[in-house]
């Protein structure tokens, strides 16, 4: 349970408290880092083991190649780089804009006619996750991290690709190894007479690669199992698979399925139809396997020496229920039977379809799993590429000697693909180039840049979970819906509005997806525990109905009567919480009781990774228990003790669990909104967005970063009013704004429509002062080698010495403006090119000499990073916001003597218009204002964690009383006087302290102005775009407004004179605009004359036309339409 | 000018180093407010306006330090004797318009060190060593006062700050660093007899220190329909740059100068 609340916190107490409460920031990226570690230590060896050997014939020899080992080395520079020191730190990678990677070495076994050789082979460099076990920072202390130019609280979880911090976004996936009954109209398109019913299962191998299967129902009762091999879809009759998996009679199958409901006659008909659907001559396991093998051997690329039976076994191993170990055909058979039963039950309407969009049927795919799957595929591709290359060489008649190792070393390996490059490409672009598709529904958008705008934005990149790019284009909004099942796992507040609303979600603070797999030994033991509790093996007994299946990680481990199962579930939970019988703490015990028209019942046990886990309090034992999303639906979890008691008395609910904290259902970012329980809910959503656009102090290692743009607030403050989470994450390390005295009145009119007035005196004194650090990388490297160098030749020194040093680099600390010398380059001809500074006035912050690139062999200084600091103190047009989704534009910096003042002489920093409140209902901001004021008066902080006040103990009463104690008005009102007339204002004014954020949208980055400038070459109209000094579009509606106003001159000025006004020549006889031209009167003459080329006539007049009209004429002429103007003199 | 004709009276009710409370009677809001505005915006003081940074190896950037230096209150009692730089006969600053202050601090040992206003020294060649940060001046007056120095920045071993500052005369309406007051306030109707403000819950309001109500149950005086604002209870709090009474005097002087200018201008116009 959480420690009880202190609403009032003195500064001294706060310091003590902060130390105690502080949580490890690594919790934020735990899922990322651990999944990567799990991939390196656990999944990678399994993936290597699971790779298929590639067999092919070379002349008379049979070559089998396989990968027997894969290792990823410590982060290092590329081996080709000429350097004494090859190890590299993340900070160096960020600053040099190179990648943080380690060498991949494969152990390739080549078997030529039984003669085996194993060669280690370097196949490129793999990006390494910062703070993972492979990263040099993982074992360092805080002081050591700082010495390595890192953040003191660096939490990693990202890759560094070309200097950018890249995060593999977590993805919502269908819950693995869990059959889901679905009704999907698209299933009907699978084939003739296919119905919309299906049972889908996403099977995941121990190495975390997956294979999706769908069991389809065909009208009449036949079933087929659909799956894909290398993105191609296949359907196999279920009966054929059943036979291939187990040598059983039709009767066995019939009974196994009908057993669930012997009274259902339709079911019996269906099963009979299914049994009859078997292809001819497949009436035994052997013949079925033979048939399957014959059908699939080409598709699977089987070597001729492999028999059909072996090919079929290969198919069953690689594609059918891959989560079950390959030899356990009985388990696969039992699972298929269970799925068939489920399919028929769905068809009959006895059970409801599962909702694939509900978090209860989902899990979270993490960085390590996607990365691992890609690497596995690349390794497989490597073998196939070897086969392709050698076969091609043979076909081309080249000399091929597979028996000779040097042939591989000199001819084959050098032409093989670079696996590192594929991984690098994946992370750099987020695009997945894959032959199998990795069982993903999307091919792009996997990796995103972790933007270090401020700590909130940065952290939220690691907490966000995307539903998948596929759903973004869906017209239905059902996927975006916030479901009650998401409680405690997915934050209901923190999702953007607009296109990605509801698709891009964020995990709650306490939710951590499981990363580590439970060991097979523990699972085996768990299976014994389940049986010891009374669950019987499948098909061994007669149990009194109703009988339910017990699943463990997608394997049917047994059956039992409902009553028994309920008892088993209870007992298992007890073992789990108390840690008895080695039952793992991550075990999910979801008992779905039978209900007419409900979800298919059963006991579902899961230990598998990537499920979302969150801690709750188990009331029976008063211990912490990790629960997951499927079991949560069937548990009774109270919010607090009071609720548990109340609902027990009122409704007789027996709560088994209780929440650990009331605000645990919020995400990291949304838990920083003060008093969010007082606000209208969309305002809290807006604050989550705005918090992520705030300028703050983004990093503590700013001098060691080379981001393109870094926004830095000069003097951030601790909010007087902050929630508990603020101290837990110790955001004092990364401040996000300033406390401001805010009064709520309409004053001068400059605060209308979300504008705000700021006291000029406050800005003079440093309120919201900020700067932008811009880094420009100058790279002289070109293909021809070292042909240029930085330098300032003696003859240019005198005129440029104010700005440039003799080495051609700018002097650190000087101010530069547009057009000033920025850096100088000397080329091979010894001519000096002086590059000029473009952009706003700035100060040179630093000049860094960089490694040319991670593959460069150059020793000369060929690459530099120049960082400039641009002052960005608030000016009219900049954007600010409180922490309650209340944003506004600075519209007037009012001198402090003009500001209204209170009887204690306080002039507000910010004037906020009262009309901002009624419709937005951000009561939290009002409470914060009162609390902030009371905090300043009493010299203390107030806790603003949501849900600490209620109807009997209201916030207004509490803070009103605090204000009264300080000698102020109970409601936070004060008498104010106009600063301009000195008269008392008629209203009493609500004034208090609110924490304000400065948003990164600044007018200096956005203003756009032009009189004349670049035009489009075709139309001669102004081009668009601020960067290119283009115009602001004066569109159709704007035109309408001018017409309506009758301002003809203005209209002509905007649309003609300032646009594409031109002088055109028109032939009076033919009316052509295009046919006229100007020619010299004679060869010697300079006088030119306008003539019409088509009329051979010189009766040509000059008119003023929009140039685009000529273009229209040309386009029409292209379609064989003549345009002619009727001109006459007035 | 009605209030001048009525012979305004000022009564000083309390005076400390940093605060003055006075009662202005026989006046009106126009006069009281002009006085208040004048104290904020028109009183000339001295503040650092130009900083030449030679060495800055601290963690703070140049602009940040320069801004902090600007906000340090300097003793400005003699500000009236200075010329505004723009009005001065000199070309680039002379002892009549500029005060030069220097700072050079380096941290040599392994401790954190605070660079404060104490390290800001006026140079000997300057005309006037009386223009110093207020904490330094306080120390000079009274040796027992120590340690009120304002921190400019904190430095660690190997860091150094070396700069020259030029303090100039200016007024608050130009930049807030020249504002000599921390807070200026007045009230003229402690019991709300004039009903300029409407109280929804009079009982929720704290009673003013100038209240004349004797009845504890009464929260508001009876409405006085004929009353006007003529007595002002003012509080002026100084930043330390000038004693509060000097601020008042200086503000009145500047107000007076303006009125004389206006009067002259009107005479010219009428002539």
């Amino acid at each position: 349970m959480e420690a009880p609340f202190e609403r009032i916190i003195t500064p001294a107490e706060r310091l003590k408290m902060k130390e105690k409460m502080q949580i490890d920031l690594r919790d934020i990226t735990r899922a990322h880092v651990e999944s990567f570690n799990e991939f390196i230590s656990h999944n990678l060896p399994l993936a290597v083991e699971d790779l298929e050997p590639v067999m092919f014939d070379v002349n008379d020899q049979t070559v089998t190649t396989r990968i027997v080992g894969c290792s990823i080395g410590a982060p290092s520079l590329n081996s080709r780089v000429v350097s004494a020191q090859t190890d590299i730190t993340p900070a160096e990678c960020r600053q040099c804009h190179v990648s943080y990677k380690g060498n991949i070495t494969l152990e390739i076994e080549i078997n030529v006619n039984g003669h085996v050789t194993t060669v280690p082979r370097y196949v490129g460099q793999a990006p390494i996750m910062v703070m993972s076990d492979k990263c040099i920072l993982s074992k360092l202390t805080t002081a050591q991290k700082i010495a390595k130019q890192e953040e003191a609280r660096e939490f990693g979880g990202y890759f560094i690709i070309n200097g950018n911090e890249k995060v593999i976004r977590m993805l919502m996936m269908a819950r693995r190894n869990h059959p889901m009954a679905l009704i999907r109209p698209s299933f009907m398109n699978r084939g003739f007479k296919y119905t919309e019913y299906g049972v889908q299962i996403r099977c995941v191998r121990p190495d975390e690669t997956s294979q999706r299967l769908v069991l389809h129902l065909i009208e009449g009762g036949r079933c087929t199992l659909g799956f894909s091999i290398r993105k191609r879809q296949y359907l196999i009759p279920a009966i054929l698979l059943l036979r291939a998996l187990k040598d059983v009679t039709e009767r066995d199958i019939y009974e196994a399925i009908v057993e669930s409901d012997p009274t259902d006659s339709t079911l019996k008909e269906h099963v009979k139809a299914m049994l009859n659907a078997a292809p001819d001559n497949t009436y035994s396991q052997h013949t079925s396997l033979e048939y399957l093998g014959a059908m699939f051997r080409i598709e699977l690329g089987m070597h001729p020496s492999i028999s059909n039976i072996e090919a079929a076994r290969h198919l069953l191993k690689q594609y059918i229920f891959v989560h079950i170990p390959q030899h356990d055909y009985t388990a696969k058979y039992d699972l298929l039977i269970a799925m068939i039963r489920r399919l028929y039950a769905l068809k009959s309407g006895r059970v409801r379809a599962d909702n694939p969009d509900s978090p209860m049927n989902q899990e979270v795919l993490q960085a390590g799993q996607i990365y691992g799957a890609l690497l596995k595929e690349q390794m497989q591709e490597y073998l196939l590429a070897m086969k392709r290359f050698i076969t091609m060489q043979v076909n081309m008649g080249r000399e091929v000697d597979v028996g000779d190792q040097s042939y591989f070393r000199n001819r084959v390996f050098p032409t093989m693909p670079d696996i590192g490059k594929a991984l690098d490409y994946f992370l750099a672009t987020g695009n997945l180039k894959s032959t199998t598709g990795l069982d993903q529904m999307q091919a792009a958008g996997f990796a995103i840049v972790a933007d270090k705008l401020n700590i909130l934005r940065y952290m939220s990149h690691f907490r966000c979970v995307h539903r998948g790019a596929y759903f973004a284009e869906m017209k239905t909004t059902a996927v975006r819906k916030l479901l009650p099942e998401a409680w405690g796992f997915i934050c209901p507040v923190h999702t953007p509005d607009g296109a990605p609303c509801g698709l891009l979600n964020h995990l709650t603070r306490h939710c951590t997806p499981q990363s580590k797999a439970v060991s097979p030994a523990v699972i085996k033991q768990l299976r014994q525990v389940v049986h010891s509790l009374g669950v019987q093996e499948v098909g061994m007994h007669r149990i009194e109905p109703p009988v339910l299946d017990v699943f463990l990680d997608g394997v049917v481990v047994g059956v039992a009567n409902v009553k028994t199962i309920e008892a088993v579930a209870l007992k298992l939970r007890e073992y789990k919480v108390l840690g008895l019988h080695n039952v793992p703490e991550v075990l999910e015990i979801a008992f779905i009781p039978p209900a007419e028209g409900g979800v298919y019942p059963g006991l579902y046990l899961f230990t598998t990774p990537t499920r979302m886990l969150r801690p709750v309090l188990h009331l029976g034992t008063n211990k912490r228990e990790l629960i997951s999303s499927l079991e949560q639906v069937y548990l009774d979890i109270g919010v607090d003790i009071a609720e548990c008691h109340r609902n027990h008395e009122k409704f007789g609910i027996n709560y088994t669990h209780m929440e650990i904290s009331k605000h645990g259902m919020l995400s990291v970012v949304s838990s920083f909104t003060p008093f969010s329980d007082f606000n209208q809910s969309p305002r809290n959503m807006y604050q989550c967005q705005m918090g992520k656009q705030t300028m703050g102090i983004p990093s503590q290692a700013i001098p060691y970063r080379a981001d393109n743009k870094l926004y830095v607030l000069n003097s951030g403050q601790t909010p007087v009013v902050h929630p508990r989470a603020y101290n837990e994450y110790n955001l004092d390390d990364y401040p996000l704004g300033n406390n401001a005295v805010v009064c709520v009145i309409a004053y001068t009119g400059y605060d209308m429509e979300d504008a705000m007035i700021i006291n000029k005196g406050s800005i003079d004194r440093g309120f919201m002062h900020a700067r932008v650090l811009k880094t420009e990388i100058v790279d002289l490297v070109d293909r021809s080698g070292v042909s240029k160098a930085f330098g300032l030749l003696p003859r240019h020194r005198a005129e440029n010495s104010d700005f440039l040093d003799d080495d051609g680099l700018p002097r650190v600390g000087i101010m530069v403006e547009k057009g000033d010398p920025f850096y100088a380059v000397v080329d091979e001809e010894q001519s000096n090119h002086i590059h000029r500074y473009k952009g706003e006035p700035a100060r040179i912050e630093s000049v860094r000499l960089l490694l040319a690139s991670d593959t460069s062999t150059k020793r000369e200084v060929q690459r530099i990073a120049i960082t400039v600091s641009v002052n960005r103190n608030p000016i009219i047009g900049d954007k600010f916001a409180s922490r309650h989704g209340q944003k506004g534009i600075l519209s007037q910096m009012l001198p402090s003597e003009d500001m209204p003042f209170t009887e204690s002489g306080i002039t507000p920093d910010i004037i906020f218009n009262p009309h901002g409140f009624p419709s937005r209902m951000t009561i939290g901001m009002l409470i914060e204002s009162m609390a902030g004021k009371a905090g300043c008066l009493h010299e203390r902080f107030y806790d603003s964690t949501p849900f600490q006040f209620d109807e009997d103990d209201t916030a207004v009463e509490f803070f009103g009383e605090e204000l009264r104690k300080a000698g102020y008005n109970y409601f936070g009102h004060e008498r104010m006087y106009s600063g301009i007339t000195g008269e008392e204002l008629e209203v009493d004014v609500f004034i208090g302290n609110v924490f304000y954020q400065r948003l990164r949208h600044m007018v200096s980055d956005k203003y756009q102005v032009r009189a004349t400038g670049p035009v489009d070459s075709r139309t001669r109209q102004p081009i668009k775009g601020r960067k290119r000094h283009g115009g602001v579009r004066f569109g159709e509606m704007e035109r309408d407004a001018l017409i309506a106003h009758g301002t003809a001159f203005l209209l002509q000025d905007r649309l003609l004179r300032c646009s594409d006004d031109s002088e055109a020549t028109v032939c009076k006889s033919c009316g052509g605009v295009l046919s006229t031209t100007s020619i010299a009167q004679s060869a010697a003459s300079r006088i030119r004359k306008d003539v019409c080329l088509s009329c051979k006539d010189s009766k040509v007049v000059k008119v003023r036309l929009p140039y685009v009209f000529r273009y229209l004429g040309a386009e029409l002429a292209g379609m064989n339409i003549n345009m002619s103007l009727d001109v006459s003199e007035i | 000018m009605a209030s001048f004709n009525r012979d305004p009276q000022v009564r000083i009710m309390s005076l400390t180093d940093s605060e003055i409370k006075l009662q202005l009677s026989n006046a009106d809001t126009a006069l009281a407010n002009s006085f208040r505005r004048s104290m904020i915006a028109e009183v000339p003081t001295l503040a650092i306006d130009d900083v030449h940074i030679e060495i800055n190896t601290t963690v703070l950037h140049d602009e940040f330090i320069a801004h902090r230096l600007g906000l340090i209150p300097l003793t400005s009692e003699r500000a009236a004797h200075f010329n505004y730089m723009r009005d001065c006969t000199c070309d680039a600053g002379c002892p009549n318009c500029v005060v030069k202050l220097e700072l050079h601090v380096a941290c040599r040992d392994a401790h954190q060190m605070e660079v404060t206003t104490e390290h800001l020294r006026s140079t000997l060649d300057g005309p006037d060593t009386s223009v110093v940060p207020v904490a330094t001046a306080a120390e000079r007056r009274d040796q027992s006062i120590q340690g009120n120095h304002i921190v400019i920045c904190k430095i660690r071993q190997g860091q150094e700050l070396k700069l020259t500052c030029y303090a100039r005369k200016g007024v608050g309406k130009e930049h807030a660093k020249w504002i000599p007051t921390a807070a200026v306030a007045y009230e003229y109707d402690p019991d709300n007899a004039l009903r300029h403000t409407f109280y929804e819950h009079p009982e929720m309001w704290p009673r003013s220190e100038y209240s004349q109500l004797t009845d504890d149950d009464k929260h508001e005086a009876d409405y006085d329909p004929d009353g006007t604002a003529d007595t002002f209870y003012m509080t002026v709090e100084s930043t330390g740059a000038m004693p509060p009474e000097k601020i008042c005097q200086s503000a009145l002087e500047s107000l007076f100068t303006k009125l004389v200018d206006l009067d002259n201008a009107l005479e010219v116009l009428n002539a």
Side-chain angles (χ1 to χ4, degrees), chain A residues 1053-1065:
Chain A
D1053 180 66
R1054 289 293 92 198
L1055 291 172
L1056 188 66
R1057 299 238 184 276
C1058 292
S1059 178
D1060 59 343
D1061 190 17
S1062 71
E1063 187 171 75
T1065 44

Side-chain angles (χ1 to χ4, degrees), chain B residues 107-165:
Chain B
C107 183
R108 309 265 176 238
D109 51 20
H111 295 287
Q112 181 174 281
M113 183 179 167
E114 288 182 349
V115 181
T116 67
T117 49
E118 192 184 5
H119 299 105
L120 206 54
R121 308 251 177 233
S122 51
T123 49
L124 288 175
D125 59 317
D128 200 339
T129 51
S130 71
V131 179
V132 287
V134 289
T136 314
E139 256 175 34
R140 279 187 199 165
R141 271 201 308 277
D142 183 351
Q143 295 290 321
S144 64
I145 304 170
Q146 291 283 324
N148 276 332
H149 292 286
I150 298 167
V151 179
I152 296 165
C153 82
K154 293 178 181 174
I155 54 176
R156 294 292 284 267
Q157 191 166 23
Q159 295 178 342
E160 189 176 355
L161 187 61
K162 186 176 182 191
L163 45 84
T164 314
C165 313

